[in-house]
Amino acid sequence: MPIKVGDTAPNFSLPAQSGSTISLQDFRGKKAVILYFYPKDDTPGCTTESCAFRDQYEVFKTAGAEVVGVSSDSIESHQKFAAKYNLPFTLLTDKGDQVRKLYGATAAFGLFPGRVTYVIDQQGVVQYVFDSMFNFKGHVEEALKSLQQIAK
């Protein structure tokens, strides 16, 4: 059952490109979280999406949110991807797609990992879900709009 608006975001802990383990719980009561699941490091669509998040990262931070990307790529792959494109936010490794499945962020026909963005407020409640395989920059635009609505 996919996670929907109004649901409490399930907690998880995953390894980050820094080597540390990040838990969703770490942000509760402190920051909103823009949690985006993407298929694969250094592919055209994922690069476009991640660079769009990078380009708006300061806007997200000013709005009180942290951006966190998730794919099944290795820590080493995330390190290279983040360094190559100067990504200032955390990328998490979801080997076996356990967290992706927990959130229901799977693609149509189950052929590819889905591209889904969740806006999670400080209390851990999902405020917005954007699911689009091909509207790469839309994930950033919609997350920002949603975050601005929460702030009001």
Side-chain angles (χ1 to χ4, degrees), residues 76-120:
E76 296 77 22
S77 176
H78 283 339
Q79 288 169 342
K80 288 177 190 164
F81 185 49
K84 182 174 181 180
Y85 294 102
N86 199 24
L87 304 178
F89 46 83
T90 300
L91 298 175
L92 300 176
T93 295
D94 183 19
K95 278 286 177 227
D97 290 327
Q98 295 306 312
V99 175
R100 179 184 294 283
K101 289 173 187 160
L102 180 65
Y103 275 75
T106 53
F109 315 115
L111 296 176
F112 303 102
R115 184 182 313 281
V116 185
T117 299
Y118 298 86
V119 178
I120 303 166

Side-chain angles (χ1 to χ4, degrees), residues 48-135:
T48 298
E49 179 184 25
S50 296
C51 289
F53 273 115
R54 175 201 64 205
D55 294 346
Q56 296 296 323
Y57 183 65
E58 288 305 317
V59 178
F60 282 110
K61 280 186 66 166
T62 300
E66 188 54 54
V67 175
V68 178
V70 180
S71 80
S72 61
D73 292 301
S74 69
I75 291 171
E76 296 77 22
S77 176
H78 283 339
Q79 288 169 342
K80 288 177 190 164
F81 185 49
K84 182 174 181 180
Y85 294 102
N86 199 24
L87 304 178
F89 46 83
T90 300
L91 298 175
L92 300 176
T93 295
D94 183 19
K95 278 286 177 227
D97 290 327
Q98 295 306 312
V99 175
R100 179 184 294 283
K101 289 173 187 160
L102 180 65
Y103 275 75
T106 53
F109 315 115
L111 296 176
F112 303 102
R115 184 182 313 281
V116 185
T117 299
Y118 298 86
V119 178
I120 303 166
D121 68 17
Q122 284 189 14
Q123 289 71 45
V125 176
V126 176
Q127 295 295 326
Y128 190 78
V129 179
F130 186 73
D131 184 347
S132 174
M133 201 61 186
F134 301 106
N135 186 355

